[in-house]
Amino acid sequence: MNPFNLEIEKLKQKALDIRRDIITLLIESQSGHSGGPLSCTDMATALYFNILNHDPQNPGNPQRDLNFFSIGHVSPLIYSLLAESGYFPLKDLLSFRKMEGHLEGHPNCLHTPGIEVSAGSLGQGLSIACGTAYGIKMDRTERRVYCIMGDGEQQEGSIWEAVMFSAHYKLDNLCGIIDYNHRQIDGETEDVMDISPLTEKYWSFGWNVYEINGHDMNEIVGALKAANDCKGKPSIIIGHTEMGKGVSFMEGLAEWHGKPPKPDQGEKALAELGTTYAEWSERLRNG
Amino acid sequence: MGEMKKTRVGFGHGLVDAGEKNKNVVVLVGDLRDSTNVNFFAEKFPERFIEVGIAEQNMANVAAGLSLTGKIPFFTTYGAFATCRCLDMLRVTICYSNLNVKIGGAHGGISVGPDGATHQALEEISILRSLPNMKIIVPCDYFETRKATLAAIDIDGPLYIRFGRENVPVVTDKDTPFEFGKGVVYRDGGDIAILACGVMLYEALEAAHELERDGIDTRVINIHTVKPIDETIIIKAASECGAIVTAEEHQVYGGFGSAVAEVIAKNNPVPMEFIGVQDSFGRSGPPEELMKAYHLKAKDIIGAVKRVLKRK
Ligand SMILES: Cc1ncc(C[n+]2csc(CCOP(=O)(O)OP(=O)(O)O)c2C)c(N)n1
């Protein structure tokens, strides 16, 4: 059971709050990634606030489902999800990437509650998720395993080793999620190294595939629930998204992959998200 | 020379011992079931044996994932691939997260023989020593490998066990104690100390025997745990013997000898010599011939002892 079980409208509100957190903490740190965290927000919010059976008060709960963010660079999103879920105080978000905090540029599981495994080198999460899903099957328990990946990340060869492994061992307790924003550091994924057709690729490797609009909460929750019921094979949710979603001047631009908004840009972004830096940083400080 | 046995068989039998002792032990392999000798475990505990295929990077992280469910996974392949191919997985996922993953590194050393340089792992110690949280055991023979493998399941965190392909002399027996992290004096002496790991322990003992005839009183120490290294026994050897020779079937750069030198330099600088592969790749050949060609025999250790004694 998900501890929040938010319905669609509440999920949308939560996703908005998370986007506000992301911009606010990036204004504060003046270092970190903007584009990927914002494009992935809706799918990750649905997972943490409607689907994932997790226990923020007891992060190591042996009955929990596990989610692995294979894209460690979306740490602003990851930390916001965890703080909003109650793993640690919201005010910690203001210490992102600072020496005095516990929020490393890329997540460290030994420092930050709610992180299953440290990440930051792309292409590794799905293999880890495979091992966990396999171990859970050995235990004959019902826990589920998720892995959130980038689209550019699909260029890493070892992902396809894991894709093969999970189909071979029929890991139907495993669900991958791809943030298909068509952007990576050096530009458009189609130009850098085309990964399409992704649906056909996963399908031909023996996976159950859902291709959805990764910003539509109904579609996201629908696919996550459908994946729960799929038997005999792993599932992948390919969510079409937009880099920088929610901030007009970031949307669709690869240049926003790895940089934070400057304070004035951040203020503009927060205005589009219906708040101000003063208001939202105050909320975080008191949270 | 007495009994000869393969260290990889020690690993295989050690895995079965471990599997019997703890039901969480799981073994993974990348299409090298028989040559790494995980076949014994696979036959005994098929439900805890995972064939991953030729996908070592995936295997390393599948092991990482298994450890999160309380399993004690051993992932196994040739040491050259376990370390070099999987280094990023070892670094970012397994060591940075301090996961309870064990690595069985087969085909350690030049004595792999005819397969040649690609398969003769000579770099694992140098590479792994630089990873925080990683522990390294280089056992000297069949029995020690078997015991080290069993001991590994009670040591938390990432741990690498190195073993070889060929028959090598048995220098311990089934009752010799094995204590992780502790060096063992095999022969006492006060003129020179030879510190060895792996199969080089046998060569060191042979060398000591010869040196005795020349009136050189040689201490021989088995350092099976290369990381964390037993500083006490090394410092004691330096101060009591005044000169040290290290011996490893591995590159000298950054390897076991370097680990000893770090301790010596910091605590009690004494003259040292390093027996090992001197910054070159291996090549195909009969194991015994290769050991000679790469100067890894007792005779080479004796030469090093004589050189270092002049600098004492
Ligand atoms: C193994 C590895 N190579 C390179 C990088 C540097 N890097 C970080 S993010 C990134 C691009 C990722 O693209 P994508 O998966 O599409 O994520 P998005 O740009 O959508 O956030 C790269 C190359 C890395 N972190 N890990």
Side-chain angles (χ1 to χ4, degrees), chain B:
Chain B
M1 202 179 291
E3 196 189 359
M4 303 277 284
K5 264 179 121 123
K6 297 178 173 75
T7 50
R8 61 177 157 134
V9 175
F11 175 70
H13 290 159
L15 285 179
V16 173
D17 298 341
E20 278 166 354
K21 185 173 174 203
N22 189 323
K23 65 176 177 24
N24 285 320
V25 172
V26 175
V27 174
L28 302 93
V29 79
D31 199 30
L32 291 170
R33 182 182 146 121
D34 290 357
S35 66
T36 59
N37 282 125
V38 299
N39 51 332
F40 307 132
F41 186 94
E43 281 150 23
K44 183 110 198 217
F45 305 109
E47 72 292 349
R48 288 195 262 148
F49 173 74
I50 308 174
E51 173 62 74
V52 182
I54 313 158
E56 294 78 13
Q57 301 173 67
N58 185 50
M59 175 162 65
N61 274 342
V62 167
L66 282 160
S67 76
L68 297 175
T69 63
K71 307 285 178 283
I72 306 172
F74 284 76
F75 85 78
T76 315
T77 178
Y78 296 155
F81 312 138
T83 52
C84 296
R85 176 68 68 107
C86 303
L87 182 55
D88 192 33
M89 289 72 201
L90 293 176
R91 176 177 178 269
V92 176
T93 296
I94 294 170
C95 287
Y96 189 40
S97 305
N98 198 17
L99 299 180
N100 197 20
V101 171
K102 313 302 170 200
I103 304 135
H107 280 37
I110 198 115
S111 59
V112 166
D115 273 345
T118 53
H119 285 54
Q120 296 159 342
L122 294 173
E123 308 82 7
E124 316 99 287
I125 299 174
S126 320
I127 291 169
L128 297 177
R129 228 160 59 75
S130 66
L131 296 180
N133 296 328
M134 180 61 78
K135 298 154 203 80
I136 309 167
I137 308 181
V138 184
C140 65
D141 69 358
Y142 165 86
F143 289 110
E144 197 167 85
T145 310
R146 184 167 181 170
K147 277 176 259 180
T149 306
L150 178 61
I153 65 175
D154 295 319
I155 299 159
D156 195 40
L159 185 149
Y160 185 91
I161 302 178
R162 183 190 207 230
F163 48 91
R165 178 174 189 274
E166 294 294 306
N167 273 316
V168 290
V170 174
V171 290
T172 67
D173 64 46
K174 70 178 189 358
D175 301 318
T176 311
F178 175 83
E179 194 181 344
F180 174 75
K182 284 270 184 294
V184 189
V185 176
Y186 266 68
R187 190 180 196 287
D188 214 353
D191 294 336
I192 173 79
I194 307 172
L195 277 53
C197 65
V199 299
M200 296 306 286
L201 179 65
Y202 173 79
E203 299 298 333
L205 289 167
E206 288 282 292
H209 191 66
E210 292 278 318
L211 287 163
E212 197 177 357
R213 283 191 225 147
D214 296 338
I216 299 169
D217 185 25
T218 308
R219 183 179 303 189
V220 177
I221 305 176
N222 175 13
I223 310 260
H224 48 64
T225 307
V226 173
K227 188 185 175 190
I229 204 157
D230 183 346
E231 300 207 356
T232 312
I233 209 165
I234 296 172
I235 295 167
K236 191 159 181 279
S239 62
E240 290 175 4
C241 304
I244 284 184
V245 172
T246 59
E248 63 198 298
E249 195 196 356
H250 184 275
Q251 300 287 357
V252 288
Y253 288 170
F256 166 66
S258 300
V260 173
E262 286 160 18
V263 178
I264 298 287
K266 214 163 44 182
N267 295 283
N268 185 2
V270 296
M272 277 188 78
E273 283 283 330
F274 302 85
I275 292 294
V277 175
Q278 306 289 332
D279 196 26
S280 72
F281 283 104
R283 55 176 298 186
S284 292
E288 193 53 27
E289 292 306 310
L290 288 169
M291 293 296 276
K292 284 183 198 146
Y294 285 80
H295 306 295
L296 301 171
K297 296 298 292 177
K299 162 169 105 35
D300 304 300
I301 298 177
I302 292 168
V305 166
K306 296 203 165 151
R307 283 197 302 278
V308 83
L309 284 178
K310 289 196 189 120
R311 292 162 50 210
K312 210 166 139 176

Side-chain angles (χ1 to χ4, degrees), chain A residues 107-110 115-120 128, chain B residues 92-93 96-97:
Chain A
N108 178 328
C109 64
L110 302 179
I115 304 292
E116 302 289 358
V117 163
S118 304
I128 302 166
Chain B
V92 176
T93 296
Y96 189 40
S97 305

Side-chain angles (χ1 to χ4, degrees), chain A residues 108-269:
Chain A
N108 178 328
C109 64
L110 302 179
H111 292 178
T112 306
I115 304 292
E116 302 289 358
V117 163
S118 304
S121 169
L122 294 168
Q124 300 203 31
L126 193 63
S127 296
I128 302 166
C130 281
T132 304
Y134 194 105
I136 289 170
K137 285 220 170 250
M138 290 176 84
D139 293 339
R140 299 183 207 291
T141 56
E142 297 297 309
R143 304 161 66 196
R144 289 186 62 76
V145 182
Y146 296 87
C147 179
I148 300 183
M149 295 178 277
D151 55 349
E153 191 192 13
Q154 301 300 306
Q155 293 154 0
E156 283 287 355
S158 68
I159 289 189
W160 299 94
E161 298 179 357
V163 170
M164 230 183 305
F165 180 94
S166 28
H168 181 86
Y169 286 111
K170 303 186 170 51
L171 300 179
D172 52 15
N173 54 348
L174 172 66
C175 178
I177 298 169
I178 298 176
D179 177 29
Y180 204 170
N181 61 22
H182 299 265
R183 300 290 181 277
Q184 57 188 109
I185 295 181
D186 282 352
E188 305 204 359
T189 306
E190 285 67 23
D191 296 332
V192 175
M193 184 52 63
D194 196 2
I195 58 170
S196 71
L198 216 42
T199 295
E200 286 82 347
K201 284 193 173 93
Y202 273 89
W203 189 260
S204 68
F205 272 81
W207 284 54
N208 176 41
V209 186
Y210 303 93
E211 200 171 341
I212 61 164
N213 175 347
H215 297 309
D216 182 317
M217 267 316 165
N218 277 305
E219 284 191 34
I220 298 168
V221 172
L224 285 165
K225 287 193 167 150
N228 273 352
D229 299 329
C230 172
K231 294 285 165 247
K233 43 167 102 170
S235 293
I236 189 85
I237 297 174
I238 300 171
H240 290 280
T241 58
E242 199 161 15
M243 175 158 277
K245 177 73 177 176
V247 176
S248 62
F249 58 89
M250 293 183 182
E251 283 181 359
L253 295 178
E255 67 185 74
W256 282 100
H257 161 90
K259 66 176 182 187
K262 298 207 173 70
D264 59 318
Q265 293 172 314
E267 200 65 82
K268 239 177 94 190

